[in-house]
Amino acid sequence: TTVELTGFLAGALVLISRSLLNNSDFNLTDFIVNRMAYAIKRFIEGEILNGKDTTNKVKGLKAGVTLAVTAGAQNVITADEVIQLHDKIKDDFQDGAIWIMSSSTRTALRTLKANTGEYLLNDDISSPFGVSILGKTVYVSDNMPNIAAGATVIYYGNMKGLATKFSEEMEIEVLREKYATQHAIGVVGWLEFDAKVEDAQQIAKLVMASA
């Protein structure tokens, strides 16, 4: 089978008052450009994690991941469910696998213990963010839902199974003439991208029980 990646255009515009620029004690334009770049980065991450299964939206992980573990409760994750999620991924794809979840979910998992009595989430100086679950790095994103009924709260797997395409890399421009009649300048950013699951064997998700 094949996965077809198209391109979805996204843009953002900020108007900055020239009066504000003239009365600022720091480089306000550079500050806005950096903040816009950060906001666009978070937008891309959110679309990849929480895309929609519709023809005119980025599908991302949520619509494409088919391997799933459904929690037995709406607001509690058990150690057994975390282990089941880990084992949904075949051994061939475990090398390079990671966890993705919200900060709140990570905090909830800190108290979970394996059958041996050891904590599942351990301090690990070899991991990029200093913690791991079952030997795999934990990545935290504010774009991931917190634990709630029906929510997809954890992704686990090798993200090589996700295909991404950037038809147009993020470009931010300062428009000095277009808004001159408003005594302002514009900062505009555009990008065009798409993301779909390419290999469903490599990524799994944990979904909380429905209400």
Side-chain angles (χ1 to χ4, degrees):
T1 59
T2 60
V3 172
E4 180 181 356
L5 294 172
T6 57
F8 298 98
L9 194 62
L13 173 66
V14 175
L15 296 185
I16 311 174
S17 161
R18 286 189 178 273
S19 295
L20 182 60
L21 284 170
N22 294 334
N23 289 284
S24 297
D25 294 329
F26 65 100
N27 192 325
L28 181 60
T29 302
D30 284 353
F31 174 79
I32 294 297
V33 168
N34 290 332
R35 290 298 299 177
M36 179 177 282
Y38 177 72
I40 291 174
K41 179 183 71 172
R42 285 174 57 89
F43 168 77
I44 294 171
E45 181 185 270
E47 291 297 296
I48 289 175
L49 293 175
N50 301 307
K52 297 178 174 62
D53 193 10
T54 58
T55 56
N56 60 345
K57 297 288 185 179
V58 175
K59 290 185 181 297
L61 288 174
K62 188 173 182 179
V65 173
T66 55
L67 295 177
V69 172
T70 301
Q74 299 176 14
N75 56 3
V76 175
I77 301 172
T78 68
D80 287 348
E81 289 162 353
V82 174
I83 294 171
Q84 289 167 19
L85 182 63
H86 175 277
D87 290 347
K88 280 284 184 180
I89 305 303
K90 295 179 180 180
D91 291 351
D92 286 349
F93 306 125
Q94 288 286 347
D95 186 23
I98 62 171
W99 303 89
I100 303 175
M101 63 190 70
S102 72
S103 177
S104 175
T105 301
R106 182 182 65 178
T107 299
L109 296 189
R110 281 186 179 275
T111 60
L112 293 182
K113 294 182 179 180
N115 294 331
T116 58
E118 298 175 342
Y119 284 104
L120 287 178
L121 195 151
N122 299 309
D123 293 334
D124 183 358
I125 61 173
S126 65
S127 294
F129 297 101
V131 291
S132 64
I133 295 177
L134 301 176
K136 302 300 181 181
T137 302
V138 178
Y139 287 83
V140 164
S141 170
D142 290 338
N143 283 298
M144 285 294 292
N146 294 325
I147 296 174
T152 299
V153 295
I154 302 175
Y155 290 111
Y156 174 74
N158 193 321
M159 295 304 144
K160 291 180 180 179
L162 177 71
T164 58
K165 173 187 175 184
F166 285 84
S167 305
E168 179 182 347
E169 296 287 347
M170 180 178 66
E171 294 183 1
I172 297 179
E173 299 178 72
V174 178
L175 310 176
R176 300 190 180 278
E177 296 181 3
K178 182 176 177 62
Y179 300 100
T181 57
Q182 300 180 40
H183 199 241
I185 67 171
V187 179
V188 63
W190 289 102
L191 73 153
E192 186 175 356
F193 75 107
D194 194 9
K196 293 178 183 175
V197 173
E198 179 183 12
D199 188 350
Q201 300 178 93
Q202 298 199 42
I203 309 171
K205 61 186 176 183
L206 178 69
V207 182
M208 302 307 296
S210 299

